[in-house]
């Protein structure tokens, strides 16, 4: 097998070209936010094993979903009891 002496790296010249051929891109609309549901009304409690993550009653999920949509996250998954 013969290898060329010169290997052109045209696609790596500058950031603009590298951005065009980049394979992996991550954006907020590709993310899924897990929401944890609990029975009751007006309840919100932190999940002890996951700081910053809360279990919420059904009446509070709508507000949380609206915040996610405003941030660009378009999908949620609900976890119940």
């Amino acid at each position: 097998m013969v290898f060329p002496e010169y290997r052109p790296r045209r696609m790596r010249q500058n950031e603009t070209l590298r951005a065009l051929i980049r394979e992996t891109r991550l954006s907020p609309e590709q993310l899924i936010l897990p929401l944890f549901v609990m029975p009751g009304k007006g309840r919100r409690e932190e999940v002890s094993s996951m700081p910053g993550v809360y279990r919420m009653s059904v009446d509070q999920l709508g507000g949380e979903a609206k915040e996610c949509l405003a941030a660009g996250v378009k999908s949620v998954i609900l976890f119940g009891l």
Side-chain angles (χ1 to χ4, degrees):
M1 183 173 219
V2 178
F3 294 104
E5 290 181 26
Y6 172 70
R7 292 179 58 202
R9 307 246 196 269
R10 291 181 290 253
M11 297 301 185
R12 299 182 190 177
Q13 287 177 351
N14 57 44
E15 180 57 33
T16 305
L17 284 174
R18 287 190 297 271
L20 283 173
I21 62 168
R22 188 172 293 137
E23 291 181 24
T24 305
R25 293 183 180 154
L26 189 61
S27 62
E29 59 256 356
Q30 294 173 314
L31 301 175
I32 300 172
L33 177 72
L35 293 176
F36 298 91
V37 185
M38 62 188 299
K41 285 192 173 195
R43 296 182 63 192
R44 181 183 179 106
E45 61 183 45
E46 189 171 22
V47 178
S48 61
S49 60
M50 296 184 281
V53 177
Y54 296 90
R55 279 186 215 101
M56 294 170 269
S57 58
V58 176
D59 61 332
Q60 298 208 351
L61 287 178
E64 191 73 19
K66 286 179 185 176
E67 287 180 29
C68 297
L69 189 58
V73 178
K74 296 183 179 182
S75 301
V76 297
I77 185 167
L78 296 176
F79 291 96
L81 298 172

